[in-house]
Amino acid sequence: MATIGITIPESVWSARSERYYAQVLHGLEDTAVAHGHAVLSRVTGSVEEELEVLRSWAALGMVDVVILKDLLAEDPRPAQVRALGLPFTMIGDVRQRDVSAVAIDNAGTMRHLLEDLHECGHRAIGHVGGPAHLLHSRWRREAYQEVVDELGLPTLVAEGDYGAESGAAATRDLLRAPVRPTVIVHDNDAMAIGGVGAAVEEGLRIPADLSVVAWDDSPACQTHAPPIAVLDHLPHQLGVDLGIAAVALVEAPERPVRLALEVPRLLHRGTLQRRGATSG
């Protein structure tokens, strides 16, 4: 039996996105257990703490494979894990090649989402992104800028930390901008929920005055009044795929596995409304 190790940032867990990552963990565990393996998870407060945990796991022989996520621009973790002699797979992006990964097309997803919103008549599309030091946040923001430039739309951006309070604050900033967005895309479920609350406090009607879309789905989005429009990411399937990649490394560390997730679709729910405009 092998053990698969995964750490989850405390900032994400405490931001109420634990619902999303709980589903990822369930998928990972389902796959690992089906192959006779176990999963060891740990919440960490920083990259430094995560590295210390990884060093401890390696020294004690507690894990055989590890899973990395939320890589930074100059991230020390891949090199450290290699130095520790631990095979690793990661939640990555399609542009991160030559490593074992479950790959997501962050830029392609943003492009498809903005084009869908544009087709719905939205001409002022805001984006509340995650922390800019995260690579996937940077790639989403770059794709956002490319698309709004191509479509001749205003740039309406703010940054949050994945917590509901930061989503609310960023939403208020966008609503008070010279051009008020008709729809705001939030980079996770918690920020979207905070954004809806802030908009209502500002006296706006959802979705008549402002539409809201969350990058991630969760039970909180589904039971929200009104239900929040989302991209149909499948967190349990992401966990299953991570398990497949990790188990493959257990069996053949020299043969990395790459799995690509499909670009998710926009699910129209109660917080998304079409606008009257239909042309550029």
Side-chain angles (χ1 to χ4, degrees):
M1 183 182 79
T3 299
I4 301 166
I6 181 171
T7 65
I8 298 175
E10 185 178 31
S11 60
V12 171
W13 200 260
S14 62
R16 298 193 307 181
S17 288
E18 72 272 16
R19 300 175 183 89
Y20 181 87
Y21 285 100
Q23 294 178 72
V24 174
L25 284 174
H26 288 160
L28 174 60
E29 290 166 351
D30 288 346
T31 305
V33 170
H35 288 81
H37 305 310
V39 175
L40 177 62
S41 61
R42 173 80 175 268
V43 175
T44 56
S46 64
V47 171
E48 292 72 23
E49 184 179 347
E50 180 179 356
L51 287 170
E52 185 56 39
V53 168
L54 294 173
R55 284 190 288 266
S56 175
W57 282 351
L60 297 174
M62 296 177 66
V63 297
D64 302 278
V65 174
V66 296
I67 294 172
L68 303 179
K69 63 179 297 296
D70 291 340
L71 294 191
L72 313 175
E74 300 293 334
D75 203 296
R77 285 170 289 182
Q80 285 276 4
V81 171
R82 290 189 183 98
L84 293 171
L86 289 174
F88 72 90
T89 189
M90 66 182 191
I91 304 174
D93 188 272
V94 292
R95 71 188 72 192
Q96 293 171 303
R97 301 177 176 85
D98 303 322
V99 291
S100 176
V102 178
I104 300 167
D105 187 352
N106 285 283
T109 298
M110 178 63 79
R111 175 171 290 277
H112 281 287
L113 173 57
L114 297 185
E115 290 172 349
D116 283 347
L117 294 175
H118 189 259
E119 288 180 5
C120 287
H122 290 279
R123 300 295 182 264
I125 304 173
H127 178 221
V128 175
H133 63 276
L134 298 178
L135 282 174
H136 66 263
S137 295
R138 181 180 304 179
W139 290 330
R140 292 176 195 174
R141 177 57 54 78
E142 289 173 352
Y144 167 90
Q145 191 64 61
E146 289 175 2
V147 175
V148 297
D149 286 348
E150 291 170 8
L151 296 175
L153 306 181
T155 298
L156 302 169
V157 298
E159 182 179 321
D161 64 6
Y162 289 134
E165 290 185 4
S166 75
T171 296
R172 289 190 190 96
D173 288 343
L174 291 178
L175 294 178
R176 295 167 184 172
V179 177
R180 195 178 79 187
T182 61
V183 60
I184 300 178
V185 175
H186 295 76
D187 260 14
N188 79 336
D189 54 342
M191 291 198 298
I193 291 170
V196 170
V200 171
E201 290 175 0
E202 294 287 317
L204 299 182
R205 297 166 299 162
I206 306 294
D209 299 321
L210 177 71
S211 291
V212 172
V213 177
W215 193 272
D216 299 325
D217 197 5
S218 70
C221 288
Q222 297 161 21
T223 59
H224 190 274
I228 295 177
V230 297
L231 292 172
D232 69 339
H233 292 286
L234 302 174
H236 184 271
Q237 186 60 47
L238 171 58
V240 168
D241 290 344
L242 284 171
I244 292 171
V247 168
L249 285 176
V250 169
E251 297 173 352
E254 73 284 354
R255 292 207 304 266
V257 170
R258 286 185 62 81
L259 300 171
L261 296 180
E262 292 184 5
V263 173
R265 298 168 302 130
L266 174 60
L267 296 183
H268 291 247
R269 292 182 181 155
T271 61
L272 178 58
Q273 179 171 293
R274 292 180 178 272
R275 309 292 287 191
T278 57
S279 62

